[in-house]
Amino acid sequence: MGRITLDKVTKSFGAVEVIPPLDLTIEDGEFAVFVGPSGCGKSTLLRLIAGLEDVSSGQIRIDSQDATAVPPAKRGLAMVFQSYALYPHMSVRKNIAFPLKMAKMDPAEITRRVEAAASVLNLTDYLDRRPGQLSGGQRQRVAIGRSIVREPAAFLFDEPLSNLDAALRVGMRLEISELHKRLATTMIYVTHDQVEAMTMADKIVVLQAGVIEQVGSPLELYRTPRNKFVAGFIGSPTMNFIEGPEAAKYNAHTVGIRPEHIDVSETEGPWSGVVGVSEHLGSDTFFHIHETGLAETITVRAGGEVGFNHGDRIHLTPREDVMHRFDAEGLRIE
Amino acid sequence: MATKASRSAARLMMAPAVVLLLGWMLVPLTMTIYFSFKKYLPLRGGDLGWVGFDNYARFLSSSSFWPSVQATLLIVGGVLAITVVFGVLLAMLLDQPMWGQGVVRILVIAPFFVMPTVSALVWKNMFMDPVNGLFAHLWKAVGAEPIAWLTEASLPSIIMIVSWQWLPFATLILLTAIQSLDSEQLEAAEMDGAPPLKRFGYIILPHLGRAITVVVLIQTIFLLSIFAEIFVTTQGSFGTKTLTYLIFQRVLESQNVGLGSAGGVYAIILANIVAIFLMRIVGKNLDA
Ligand SMILES: Nc1ncnc2c1ncn2[C@@H]1O[C@H](COP(=O)(O)OP(=O)(O)OP(=O)(O)O)[C@@H](O)[C@H]1O
Ligand SMILES: [Mg+2]
C-alpha cells in the first residue's frame, strides 16, 4: 500500500552534502510531518522520495520494492507543490483529469472520478474555471484534487499552506486531516510551522541540517525531547533554557522549562523578575519576564484573566516534575 | 497620472510627439494616394494629369500581379513556419544547462546583427554558388550534381536566407518565454505521468503560445516588405518577385510613379488582410 523506507540515503549537490546518511521508515497509512528550520533539507528529502531528484547513495523502498531508480511517474506517489503548480491554460476539470488522461483511462471513468473528487473538495461549481480565476484556497484544493484522483500509494505535500492567510490555513489544515482520516493513505507533509506539525501528525520527523534529530508522535516530542534543539523547536512559545548555578542545582548543564509549566504569583516563588511585554490572547496571556538573573528573558504562560502591569515585580514557581535536563552536549538526561 | 491637472499636463507634453508621428505617417501615405491617381512619368514628360483609377486597374491586370502576391505569401509563410519551429527547438536547447552557454547564446543571436544585403551576398556567393559555393562542394563530395540554388530552387533559397536572419529573433523571444515557465509545473506533469513529448505538448507549447503570437505578428510586418535579399540574389526573376519588388520595378525601372503608388496602396491592403487573418488565428493568445 504505502510503506516508505529510506535506507542510508544521502544527497549531495556538487561538493555540498545536504543530506548525510539517513534512515527513516514511514508506515502505511501514517501521517508523517517533516519539520525543521529553513534550508535544513525538508524539500530535498521529499523530492528524493518523489523521484524528482536522484539520491547520491542509499536506497528508497516503497512497499519493500526498491524504487531508487524508478521514474517519478511509476512510483505511484502524488505530490502537492508549494506553488500548487496548476496548469494555467487548462480548466479546473482538465487539471484534475490530467493524470488520468496520461494514464489513458476510459473517458467515462475519468469524468466519474473528477466529479467525485470535485464534490469531496467542494469544487463542483468551479470545474470550468481556469486556475487564474480561483482564490488561493480553491487552487490549493484543485492541487489536492489532482493528486487524489489517481489513488496514489502516498501523498507528498511540500508546505502546501504557506501561501494562505491564517484563517484559511486553519481551515485547510482540518480539511487535509479529514482527508487523511477518510482515505487512510500515507501522507508525508513538509512544513516549518510547528503548530501544523503538532496538530496534524501521527509522526513528526524533526530535521536539522539534513540530520534527523528525533522521530516520534507529537506528544512524545513534546514530553521527552531528545535534545535541546527538538525541545526548542516543538512547543509554542518556545521552551525557556536556564544555564549556570540554577541548572547545577538540578545536576544538569542546562534545564528547560516550558512557559506553560511555570506558575506565577505576586508574593511567593523561588524565582522573581520584572514583567516586560505581555501578550494577551484572550484565553491565555504570555508574559516576558526580565531581570530574573537566570536567563535574558523567561516566557510564562498564564490564564487570560491574569493581569500584571509592565514593570511589576512578580514571583515564579517552575513545576519540577516537568522540567527537562540537558548535558553540555545538549542531550537529554533522564 | 490620476488627477485632472496631471492628465491635461500629460496630454500637453505628449502633443508634440503625437503631431510629429502623425505627420511622419500621414504625409507619405497621402502622397502615395495622391500619386496613385496621376499619370506621372518623371523621365517621360513628368506630371501628365489625373487618370482616376487607371493605375489601379493596370496594376491589377498586369500579368505579374497575382504571382507576386503568391510569392510574397509563400515567403512570409515559409519563413514564419521555419523560424517558429526551429526557434522553439533552439530555445529549448539553449535553456538546458550546458558548457559555454554564454558564448553559444551570442553566436545564435549573431545573424540578427548582419545587414540583410550582406547576409544575402554571403549566402549567394559563399554557399549557393553552383561552382564555388560550399553547398556545391558538399554535393560534389558525396557524388551528387550541384544544385544551382538561386535559379533552380529560387523561392526555397530565399526563404532559407531570410529564415536564417530571423531565426535569432524568434529564438530570443521564445527563450525568454521558456525561462519564465515554472519548473514545478513540469515536475507536476512528470509526476502525473506525462512523458517528455506530452509535457512539451501540454505544458511547454501552451506556455509559449503568447510568445509565438508576438513572434508571428512582428515578423509578418517585416517579412511583407523584404527587399534587399531579393535585390542582391535573383533580382526578382525565377518566381521570386514579391509585391514590394514589383512596386520597386514599376517606380524605378519603368519610371512609372503613378503605377507604383497604386501598387503601394495594394500592398497596404494586402498587409491589412494578412494582419486581420493573423489576429483572428493567433490574436486570441494575447488576451487572457
Ligand atoms: N538544486 C540545488 N543545488 C544546490 N543546492 C541546493 C539545491 N536545492 C537545494 N539546495 C540546498 O540544499 C539545502 C536544503 O534545501 P531545501 O530546499 O531542502 O530546504 P528546506 O528545508 O525545504 O527549506 P525551506 O523550509 O526554506 O523550504 C539548502 O541549503 C539549499 O541551499
Ligand atoms: Mg522547502
Side-chain angles (χ1 to χ4, degrees):
Chain A
M1 276 293 294
R3 183 172 197 263
I4 296 170
T5 313
L6 307 187
D7 195 357
K8 300 200 184 52
V9 166
T10 69
K11 176 66 188 175
S12 309
F13 290 110
V16 189
E17 186 172 63
V18 177
I19 312 268
L22 178 146
D23 295 297
L24 178 68
T25 302
I26 292 148
E27 300 296 339
D28 181 29
E30 205 164 41
F31 197 119
V33 174
F34 295 171
V35 279
S38 189
C40 69
K42 305 179 295 286
S43 300
T44 307
L45 201 54
L46 201 69
R47 293 165 59 83
L48 288 174
I49 296 172
L52 294 171
E53 301 274 0
D54 292 324
V55 298
S56 301
S57 71
Q59 199 183 47
I60 296 174
R61 286 192 296 274
I62 299 173
D63 294 326
S64 48
Q65 307 248 326
D66 183 3
T68 320
V70 176
K74 301 253 154 60
R75 295 194 183 190
L77 308 175
M79 184 146 168
V80 176
F81 292 84
Q82 184 173 0
S83 67
Y84 315 138
L86 299 178
Y87 311 128
H89 48 272
M90 295 184 202
S91 65
V92 169
R93 184 189 300 279
K94 289 204 174 131
N95 262 284
I96 299 179
F98 189 73
L100 305 179
K101 196 168 156 194
M102 289 300 116
K104 304 210 167 55
M105 195 176 271
D106 170 48
E109 173 68 9
I110 292 183
T111 313
R112 195 189 62 74
R113 285 211 198 179
V114 169
E115 306 215 315
S119 80
V120 166
L121 294 164
N122 285 326
L123 285 171
T124 311
D125 295 341
Y126 308 104
L127 277 176
D128 294 311
R129 292 213 201 160
R130 296 270 183 104
Q133 300 162 319
L134 299 178
S135 74
Q138 289 161 347
R139 283 181 216 184
Q140 180 60 62
R141 287 206 289 267
V142 177
I144 294 175
R146 192 173 65 185
S147 64
I148 63 175
V149 283
R150 272 200 307 162
E151 300 176 354
F155 292 95
L156 311 175
F157 293 93
D158 191 356
E159 303 199 21
L161 307 186
S162 57
N163 289 343
L164 303 181
D165 71 49
L168 204 52
R169 208 179 299 180
V170 175
M172 286 304 296
R173 205 162 78 197
L174 287 175
E175 281 185 39
I176 293 176
S177 295
E178 190 75 27
L179 196 68
H180 176 247
K181 293 271 173 331
R182 185 158 20 154
L183 300 175
T185 310
T186 314
M187 290 190 177
I188 303 179
Y189 188 102
V190 165
T191 178
H192 50 227
D193 180 348
Q194 61 93 26
V195 177
E196 272 175 32
M198 292 297 282
T199 51
M200 301 170 85
D202 294 324
K203 178 194 262 178
I204 297 183
V205 178
V206 184
L207 289 161
Q208 187 190 17
V211 178
I212 295 183
E213 295 287 349
Q214 191 170 2
V215 179
S217 73
L219 284 184
E220 261 170 57
L221 263 56
Y222 177 80
R223 289 192 186 128
T224 53
R226 215 168 58 83
N227 56 30
K228 261 177 76 178
F229 177 78
V230 178
F233 201 81
I234 300 293
S236 167
T238 53
M239 188 184 276
N240 300 298
F241 291 110
I242 296 160
E243 295 179 2
E246 186 66 26
K249 280 193 212 160
Y250 298 92
N251 289 324
H253 179 266
T254 312
V255 292
I257 181 83
R258 295 197 184 275
E260 52 270 40
H261 296 150
I262 299 176
D263 296 324
V264 289
S265 154
E266 270 174 81
T267 49
E268 54 197 292
W271 301 343
S272 78
V274 177
V275 176
V277 174
S278 331
E279 296 172 301
H280 296 277
L281 301 186
S283 58
D284 298 313
T285 308
F286 299 131
F287 295 108
H288 297 263
I289 316 288
H290 304 287
E291 296 172 35
T292 52
L294 304 165
E296 183 105 351
T297 322
I298 299 246
T299 314
V300 177
R301 193 186 90 174
E305 310 306 322
V306 180
F308 291 117
N309 294 320
H310 187 272
D312 285 355
R313 181 160 279 278
I314 60 165
H315 294 267
L316 311 172
T317 314
R319 293 188 207 150
E320 295 185 5
D321 56 326
V322 283
M323 206 176 245
H324 305 268
R325 300 185 303 141
F326 302 99
D327 64 18
E329 269 83 60
L331 289 177
R332 179 181 190 82
I333 308 172
E334 284 305 331
Chain B
M1 292 293 239
T3 66
K4 236 181 209 167
S6 67
R7 264 204 301 272
S8 59
R11 242 179 245 147
L12 202 69
M13 284 187 239
M14 281 188 321
V18 172
V19 169
L20 193 71
L21 273 177
L22 218 60
W24 200 275
M25 210 182 67
L26 279 182
V27 171
L29 182 68
T30 330
M31 280 177 70
T32 307
I33 294 174
Y34 172 80
F35 281 123
S36 70
F37 290 109
K38 291 205 127 178
K39 190 175 173 73
Y40 188 62
L41 309 165
L43 295 185
R44 287 171 283 154
D47 191 347
L48 300 177
W50 299 98
V51 290
F53 281 93
D54 239 26
N55 286 325
Y56 287 92
R58 275 184 59 199
F59 198 91
L60 204 61
S61 60
S62 135
S63 62
S64 336
F65 177 72
W66 288 111
S68 78
V69 171
Q70 194 191 357
T72 309
L73 293 180
L74 277 178
I75 289 180
V76 171
V79 173
L80 282 181
I82 291 178
T83 50
V84 168
V85 170
F86 284 90
V88 169
L89 294 179
L90 262 178
M92 290 205 303
L93 194 70
L94 290 180
D95 189 40
Q96 309 295 321
M98 58 177 171
W99 188 81
Q101 199 167 39
V103 176
V104 173
R105 282 188 186 167
I106 290 178
L107 283 181
V108 167
I109 299 163
F112 207 48
F113 297 125
V114 180
M115 280 176 281
T117 333
V118 176
S119 79
L121 276 174
V122 167
W123 275 89
K124 179 187 177 187
N125 296 322
M126 281 183 62
F127 291 98
M128 295 174 163
D129 190 282
V131 181
N132 296 317
L134 282 176
F135 288 157
H137 284 297
L138 200 70
W139 257 245
K140 274 185 237 161
V142 298
E145 183 73 14
I147 300 174
W149 287 93
L150 288 167
T151 46
E152 287 170 26
S154 44
L155 208 57
S157 304
I158 293 208
I159 291 178
M160 198 150 90
I161 296 174
V162 179
S163 300
W164 180 80
Q165 282 172 6
W166 282 92
L167 190 54
F169 172 77
T171 307
L172 212 60
I173 294 208
L174 294 170
L175 178 62
T176 54
I178 280 194
Q179 285 171 337
S180 73
L181 176 60
D182 177 12
S183 64
E184 287 198 345
Q185 266 179 44
L186 286 176
E187 289 177 343
E190 193 179 346
M191 296 219 49
D192 282 346
L197 262 183
K198 293 227 167 114
R199 289 208 287 277
F200 175 77
Y202 283 104
I203 315 291
I204 299 180
L205 212 52
H207 176 79
L208 289 182
R210 195 176 298 199
I212 291 177
T213 310
V214 169
V215 167
V216 167
L217 290 180
I218 292 183
Q219 284 198 9
T220 306
I221 295 170
F222 286 93
L223 293 178
L224 277 171
S225 59
I226 55 162
F227 175 77
E229 293 84 345
I230 297 168
F231 185 70
V232 300
T233 53
T234 61
Q235 306 253 310
S237 47
F238 312 114
T240 58
K241 195 182 290 172
T242 59
L243 195 52
T244 320
Y245 204 85
L246 184 65
I247 295 166
F248 159 77
Q249 283 186 333
R250 289 291 178 267
V251 174
L252 280 164
E253 288 176 10
S254 324
Q255 288 290 332
N256 192 335
V257 174
L259 197 57
S261 297
V265 175
Y266 281 128
I268 295 171
I269 294 169
L270 177 71
N272 277 293
I273 292 174
V274 172
I276 289 169
F277 259 102
L278 283 175
M279 290 306 274
R280 275 280 161 77
I281 300 167
V282 293
K284 65 176 188 302
N285 278 334
L286 283 181
D287 33 68

